[in-house]
Amino acid sequence: MFSGWNWVACGLYLLLNICSLEVSGGLVQSCGHIIPESPVLALGSNFTALCILNESCLDFGNIYANQIIWKIKNRVVPKEQYREINRTVSSVTFNDTSSLATPLTCNILADGQIEQNIYGITVTIGLPPEKPKNLSCIVHQVSKLTYPMTCTWNPGRHTFLDTHFRLKYRWPQENFPDCIPKDVNNSCTITDVQFFVNLEVWVEAANALGKAESDPLVLDPIEIVKPLSPHNLSVNSGILPTVLKLSWENRISAAVMKLKFNIRYRIVGDTNWMQVPPEDTASPRTSFSVQGLRPYTEYVFSIRCMKEDGVGYWSDWSEEKTGVTTEDKPSKGPAIWRIIDASRSPASWTVHLMWKALEPFEANGVILQYEVTVRAKSSLFSPPEKYNVNTTNLTLKLPNGTYEVTVIARNRVGASPPSVLLIPASNSKAPVKNVRTLPKDGKLWVGWTAPNSYVLKYVIEWCLVSNSSDCIIEWQNEPGNVQGTYLKGDIKPFKCYLITVYPLYADGQGSGQSVKAYLQQDRPSKGPTVQTKKVGKAEAVLTWNHLTVDEQNGFIRSYTIFYKTIDGNETAVTVDPSKTEYTLSSLTSDTLYTVRMMAYTDEGGRSGPDFTFTTQKFGKGEIEAIVVPVCLAFLLIVLLGVLFCFNKRDLIKKHIWPIVPDPSKSNIAQWSPQVPAKHNFSSKDQMYPEGSFTDVSVVEIEADDKKSFSEQDLKPFDLLKKEKSTSEGHSSGIGGSSCMSSPRQSVSDSDEGETTQNTSSTVQYSTVVLNGYRDQTPVQVFSRSESTQPLLDSEERSEDHAGGCDSTTQRQQYFKQNGGQDETNTDRPCFERAKQITSANEGDLVGFAQLQISGQSSQLLGLGLEKNTQEAALPDVLQTSTEGQTVRPEAVEGNPPSVDEMPKSYLPQTVRQGGYVPQ
């Protein structure tokens, strides 16, 4: 049955070969193969491959070797590398296999130029193994009886092929199985070896391109042992304060190997290890005493071992153990310094003594107290003062002088050597010179130049300068033979320190020399805030405050002021850092400026806030130069105005404050148009008796003087006549209006046409109030006058002027009496009262024709009437006295008085225009 299936398979194969040709003539099945099959090639070597066509394919497909195409990863190999051996074999040659890649295929062009793959192979390229190098072996002690051996080597270059390594070893007459590495190619461990027998060891490496072996290594395994470290280490303090005893156990038998040891130790907290000299531990042992340690100090110890002769390897360090040495008396006294208050009084001073606590290696135990002794050098016989304190400072108030201070530190074992400080009355010795600082390696170095004299030691004093805290002084001592040191305190960056160096001598000390320093500088924390102190027209004084020490962060090297207008370029000005004020000049007047300020250190600068100001429009003195002349001119104008008003006061008074006549004081009230009084004035004294009308001005006008007046000046007298004639025909004249009717109703009809030229209504009135004769009740006598002024309230009310009688009756009786009528009337009391007044005041009834004539010459005109006119007018005006004398006006001799010299009159003034203007 098996053979039957073989025949079937062969038949199918032949059928497929027969039917391999299609209509197109292409091949669908491989018709050849390549030799060598899947070769492994050395990188950079030559290689030739052959493609062999099957004979069966030649008959059906008409294909030959000259139609073969070689490809590497679908890339056609150049035909120059082809070679046709016969019609069925074609070869390709590569001179350098580094250009080869997988796969390498053989292809053919069949009819119709269809490319068909015939066969392909995989090409592997690599390198042969190199000879392993640096073969070494070590025996690790795992336990007291187990000693495996591990060998390592250098496998060489990468071969790009699978390379196998084997560790081979043997005795001279016996071979052992190979040691095959696991997961690595450079080491292998042999589980058990035998000591005291030579063993040959080597490494073999092999791959498809070849094999290589290392040089053999011959050794005795006992010579390459790395023993286990000692264990159960213990540390115990000894009798001496500088000794600690160590004990341990070894984990390898002395019969197998004799050991030597290494012991290391360090102070707790320190990272640096110290070792016991190797020669002291070069022999086998299980204990050792470490000497030269510090008293009262905790130490850490560790130990290791190896073969005594030094062949082999050191063990690992054992676990660490600690131990503390016992106390000892302090090895040195504390460093001491003093601070003397600056405000020392003449008699005494306050001294602050301070000393540093001893370091642990100096204290050698717990310091229980400090003993301070103060001895005055000026008084050798006075006993010293002693103080026992537990702190590191002491404040004393001492009289001025030189003192020697001694400080001793004491612990449980004993006292330290004394520390001595000399406090002189004054620092009279030579100081140091050229104190300087330099930041270096994260520390601050201080240097100085030593004085010429011998210096016992130096004291470097420093403190942090800050606005937020006081200057807390720190200090340190340095030997007298040095001229520089690093500060040992906690020096912070960006902080300012004040450093002072004092030289101390055997018999005194020099004054301190100080310098400020920064460990590291930075830009200022903020910029200065600038303000204006004074602003002018073309300049401005700027002021600012220095930055505080905490804000500076370094040394301020300069200030820079930047200022500009709104649309202008910025201008910079550099200012010395010691200044706090600067004047900007050449500014534009009445202009807004923006100014800011920057402070610079060695590391850069920082700007402050912006500040704006506006320059003045006028400079200093310009406003005064304008205002003062203007004020002077104004004062001059006012003064001239006052002088002008003073000179023209009468004219101004006339226009602004006209004189309003008081009708109640007019003497025309006694004048009656019908019955004039008869007076005989023989002289001026009779015309002006004392006590009569003192406010009436009288102008005597002769009848012959009429020629000296013009018609215009005499017009008022014509009006007077006209008024008289009118009043005779009227039912009642002025007198009638006085007693019989309201004064406002007594208006002459004949005056309407003339008075309307000046006023809409002319009121005719005149009221004279006379003093009673011999305590008699005065009576109001009304006379006629033309005035534009309204009547007073007292005239409008008749009951105020008549003492209880009827006003109409009084008027009638009055005019009847003056007219010479003999009629009697039942209202006689009123008439008799008027008659009594007339009789009693005959000497006072003068000036009835007083008129003040005003003109451009301001001269007063008398009543210049013609003789016949005067005679006709006098009976109407004057009244007859009891003696029947007639009074006639006299002529006024000489020039008439001026306006200022004449008495004031309340009579109407005659105006050229024909009206009466009140005075």
Side-chain angles (χ1 to χ4, degrees):
M1 183 176 179
F2 178 76
S3 60
W5 281 109
N6 289 336
W7 282 107
V8 171
C10 291
L12 290 175
Y13 178 77
L14 293 175
L15 180 62
L16 290 174
N17 288 333
I18 294 172
C19 299
S20 61
L21 293 175
E22 295 183 346
V23 177
S24 60
L27 294 177
V28 297
Q29 185 176 354
S30 177
C31 291
H33 62 280
I34 298 175
I35 56 174
E37 183 79 19
S38 300
V40 177
L41 305 176
L43 184 64
S45 62
N46 296 330
F47 172 67
T48 300
L50 300 176
C51 180
I52 302 174
L53 298 178
N54 296 332
E55 291 289 341
S56 61
C57 291
L58 297 179
D59 298 334
F60 293 102
N62 296 322
I63 57 175
Y64 300 95
N66 58 1
Q67 297 175 330
I68 292 176
I69 298 174
W70 292 91
K71 286 186 177 182
I72 300 175
K73 278 190 173 181
N74 298 323
R75 181 173 57 86
V76 177
V77 178
K79 291 186 177 295
E80 291 78 9
Q81 299 178 227
Y82 299 176
R83 182 186 175 203
E84 183 180 357
I85 298 177
N86 55 37
R87 70 189 190 102
T88 60
V89 178
S90 175
S91 68
V92 62
T93 301
F94 298 94
N95 296 325
D96 188 357
T97 55
S98 59
S99 61
L100 279 175
T102 297
L104 174 64
T105 60
C106 175
N107 306 276
I108 192 169
L109 284 176
D111 294 341
Q113 300 298 316
I114 296 176
E115 182 178 314
Q116 180 66 43
N117 177 261
I118 297 295
Y119 201 78
I121 61 174
T122 300
V123 179
T124 303
I125 300 175
L127 295 172
E130 284 187 329
K131 177 181 177 180
K133 300 177 182 179
N134 300 328
L135 176 63
S136 63
C137 299
I138 183 173
V139 176
H140 292 277
Q141 182 185 8
V142 176
S143 64
K144 196 168 185 177
L145 299 177
T146 304
Y147 299 92
M149 183 178 71
T150 301
C151 296
T152 59
W153 60 88
N154 182 3
R157 65 188 178 187
H158 183 51
T159 62
F160 306 102
L161 302 174
D162 291 335
T163 303
H164 304 282
F165 293 88
R166 294 174 179 270
L167 178 63
K168 296 179 175 291
Y169 63 101
R170 65 184 178 184
W171 286 344
Q173 290 85 20
E174 183 178 356
N175 292 329
F176 296 98
D178 296 340
C179 179
I180 300 175
K182 295 181 180 179
D183 302 326
V184 293
N185 62 355
N186 63 344
S187 67
C188 191
T189 300
I190 300 173
T191 58
D192 193 12
V193 292
Q194 297 295 324
F195 294 147
F196 309 113
V197 177
N198 288 333
L199 185 68
E200 183 181 3
V201 181
W202 72 97
V203 178
E204 180 185 84
N207 63 13
L209 297 178
K211 63 174 58 177
E213 291 183 353
S214 68
D215 295 332
L217 179 64
V218 179
L219 51 85
D220 185 353
I222 195 62
E223 297 176 351
I224 57 173
V225 174
K226 180 181 180 180
L228 291 173
S229 60
H231 69 123
N232 296 333
L233 177 63
S234 63
V235 180
N236 299 312
S237 58
I239 301 176
L240 299 176
T242 60
V243 176
L244 288 176
K245 184 178 180 181
L246 279 65
S247 299
W248 64 88
E249 294 179 3
N250 296 321
R251 290 188 286 183
I252 189 170
S253 173
V256 175
M257 182 184 297
K258 293 183 178 181
L259 303 175
K260 65 178 182 179
F261 304 90
N262 268 350
I263 299 175
R264 66 177 184 178
Y265 61 94
R266 61 181 175 86
I267 299 174
V268 174
D270 196 356
T271 57
N272 297 323
W273 288 93
M274 296 171 284
Q275 282 192 2
V276 174
E279 58 272 12
D280 294 344
T281 58
S283 58
R285 64 182 65 238
T286 57
S287 65
F288 186 81
S289 294
V290 182
Q291 302 177 4
L293 304 178
R294 296 176 181 175
Y296 200 68
T297 304
E298 185 176 11
Y299 286 90
V300 178
F301 293 91
S302 182
I303 190 172
R304 67 178 181 175
C305 63
M306 73 173 298
K307 193 169 181 293
E308 182 182 12
D309 56 6
V311 178
Y313 299 92
W314 285 102
S315 68
D316 296 329
W317 289 101
S318 67
E319 59 179 351
E320 296 178 353
K321 293 293 183 176
T322 61
V324 181
T325 56
T326 58
E327 288 188 75
D328 194 4
K329 64 181 181 179
S331 59
K332 60 179 294 186
I336 185 173
W337 186 234
R338 88 291 178 276
I339 298 177
I340 301 175
D341 285 348
S343 58
R344 61 175 67 177
S345 63
S348 63
W349 46 0
T350 301
V351 179
H352 301 278
L353 297 176
M354 51 187 180
W355 53 90
K356 291 183 178 293
L358 295 174
E359 297 292 339
F361 63 90
E362 297 172 340
N364 295 336
V366 178
I367 300 300
L368 302 178
Q369 66 178 7
Y370 296 96
E371 298 177 0
V372 181
T373 303
V374 180
R375 179 181 292 104
K377 299 288 288 185
S378 58
S379 179
L380 299 177
F381 300 101
S382 60
E385 297 183 6
K386 294 185 178 182
Y387 305 89
N388 293 329
V389 294
N390 296 324
T391 60
T392 58
N393 56 80
L394 178 63
T395 300
L396 300 174
K397 190 170 185 180
L398 303 173
N400 288 346
T402 302
Y403 294 89
E404 182 183 78
V405 179
T406 302
V407 178
I408 295 175
R410 186 177 294 276
N411 60 11
R412 295 186 183 92
V413 178
S416 68
S419 297
V420 180
L421 174 66
L422 183 65
I423 304 177
S426 62
N427 298 334
S428 59
K429 299 296 182 178
V432 297
K433 300 177 182 179
N434 191 24
V435 179
R436 58 201 180 275
T437 60
L438 178 65
K440 187 177 181 181
D441 299 331
K443 297 180 181 181
L444 189 59
W445 181 85
V446 181
W448 60 87
T449 301
N452 296 328
S453 303
Y454 173 75
V455 177
L456 186 63
K457 62 180 178 179
Y458 295 97
V459 175
I460 296 90
E461 179 182 283
W462 74 91
C463 69
L464 174 64
V465 181
S466 175
N467 297 99
S468 58
S469 61
D470 296 332
C471 187
I472 302 176
I473 294 178
E474 298 183 53
W475 54 278
Q476 68 187 52
N477 289 335
E478 294 297 332
N481 58 350
V482 301
Q483 297 186 20
T485 185
Y486 287 99
L487 297 184
K488 299 176 181 178
D490 182 16
I491 307 299
K492 300 178 181 178
F494 317 136
K495 299 296 182 181
C496 180
Y497 289 89
L498 178 62
I499 303 170
T500 306
V501 179
Y502 294 89
L504 301 185
Y505 301 91
D507 55 350
Q509 72 180 37
S511 59
Q513 298 297 310
S514 300
V515 66
K516 288 185 178 180
Y518 285 87
L519 175 63
Q520 182 180 351
Q521 298 189 53
D522 195 7
R523 295 191 307 160
S525 301
K526 58 179 291 189
T529 300
V530 65
Q531 295 179 340
T532 54
K533 181 179 180 181
K534 181 181 179 182
V535 179
K537 179 181 179 182
E539 68 281 336
V541 179
L542 304 179
T543 182
W544 61 90
N545 294 325
H546 288 302
L547 296 178
T548 63
V549 178
D550 296 331
E551 296 170 344
Q552 292 179 6
N553 295 336
F555 294 110
I556 301 298
R557 301 303 183 186
S558 66
Y559 291 118
T560 301
I561 299 174
F562 300 91
Y563 65 97
K564 65 175 181 178
T565 59
I566 295 178
D567 54 354
N569 295 327
E570 192 172 55
T571 304
V573 179
T574 302
V575 183
D576 189 87
S578 62
K579 304 293 184 181
T580 59
E581 186 176 297
Y582 185 80
T583 301
L584 298 179
S585 59
S586 301
L587 302 180
T588 305
S589 62
D590 195 22
T591 303
L592 178 65
Y593 282 88
T594 301
V595 62
R596 62 187 177 90
M597 193 169 185
M598 289 189 69
Y600 289 91
T601 64
D602 294 336
E603 297 298 325
R606 194 178 296 275
S607 177
D610 290 348
F611 180 79
T612 58
F613 66 91
T614 303
T615 54
Q616 295 183 1
K617 189 173 184 180
F618 301 98
K620 183 178 181 181
E622 291 184 2
I623 297 179
E624 291 81 353
I626 297 174
V627 173
V628 170
V630 171
C631 293
L632 292 177
F634 177 75
L635 292 176
L636 181 60
I637 293 172
V638 172
L639 181 59
L640 293 176
V642 171
L643 293 175
F644 176 80
C645 294
F646 182 78
N647 292 333
K648 300 295 183 180
R649 62 185 181 277
D650 294 332
L651 182 61
I652 295 174
K653 182 177 180 183
K654 179 179 178 180
H655 286 83
I656 299 179
W657 297 291
I659 300 175
V660 179
D662 188 357
S664 65
K665 297 181 180 180
S666 176
N667 61 359
I668 202 169
Q670 297 182 4
W671 171 74
S672 175
Q674 296 180 359
V675 187
K678 302 295 183 178
H679 296 277
N680 183 16
F681 300 112
S682 60
S683 66
K684 291 182 180 181
D685 295 336
Q686 293 179 359
M687 291 177 64
Y688 310 110
E690 183 178 359
S692 61
F693 302 95
T694 59
D695 294 330
V696 177
S697 299
V698 178
V699 180
E700 297 180 4
I701 305 172
E702 295 293 339
D704 297 338
D705 295 337
K706 182 178 181 182
K707 61 182 179 288
S708 63
F709 298 94
S710 63
E711 295 180 0
Q712 186 70 21
D713 296 333
L714 296 177
K715 186 176 180 181
F717 296 97
D718 296 337
L719 295 176
L720 184 61
K721 288 183 179 183
K722 181 179 180 181
E723 185 179 0
K724 175 178 179 295
S725 61
T726 304
S727 63
E728 288 179 353
H730 203 276
S731 62
S732 63
I734 295 296
S737 68
S738 301
C739 240
M740 291 182 292
S741 64
S742 176
R744 293 190 179 183
Q745 297 173 357
S746 166
V747 179
S748 175
D749 298 336
S750 63
D751 296 338
E752 292 177 0
E754 187 176 357
T755 57
T756 55
Q757 298 175 0
N758 299 327
T759 180
S760 61
S761 176
T762 302
V763 181
Q764 300 175 357
Y765 69 92
S766 177
T767 304
V768 179
V769 180
L770 303 177
N771 294 330
Y773 178 72
R774 293 182 181 181
D775 299 328
Q776 294 182 5
T777 304
V779 65
Q780 293 182 353
V781 180
F782 299 91
S783 181
R784 184 172 184 173
S785 175
E786 288 190 6
S787 174
T788 60
Q789 299 295 331
L791 293 178
L792 302 178
D793 292 340
S794 61
E795 295 177 354
E796 294 179 11
R797 299 173 60 187
S798 60
E799 62 273 10
D800 296 337
H801 304 291
C805 70
D806 188 24
S807 62
T808 305
T809 305
Q810 290 178 357
R811 296 189 188 100
Q812 293 177 355
Q813 292 175 355
Y814 174 77
F815 285 105
K816 285 180 180 181
Q817 176 187 2
N818 293 339
Q821 299 179 3
D822 295 336
E823 301 168 345
T824 61
N825 196 308
T826 58
D827 300 326
R828 181 162 181 83
C830 182
F831 173 76
E832 290 178 354
R833 184 182 306 168
K835 182 176 181 180
Q836 293 174 0
I837 296 171
T838 304
S839 302
N841 298 297
E842 287 178 349
D844 299 332
L845 296 177
V846 293
F848 60 91
Q850 298 173 352
L851 298 173
Q852 296 181 358
I853 301 174
S854 60
Q856 296 179 354
S857 61
S858 301
Q859 296 180 355
L860 296 176
L861 300 179
L863 298 175
L865 303 176
E866 296 180 358
K867 185 176 182 181
N868 55 358
T869 305
Q870 180 181 6
E871 292 176 355
L874 289 176
D876 296 335
V877 179
L878 300 176
Q879 296 183 4
T880 307
S881 64
T882 56
E883 289 82 2
Q885 298 177 351
T886 302
V887 180
R888 302 180 70 88
E890 297 178 357
V892 179
E893 298 178 358
N895 296 328
S898 64
V899 177
D900 297 332
E901 294 174 355
M902 292 182 62
K904 295 181 180 181
S905 174
Y906 290 92
L907 294 179
Q909 295 178 346
T910 302
V911 185
R912 291 183 183 273
Q913 286 76 11
Y916 288 93
V917 178
Q919 182 179 1

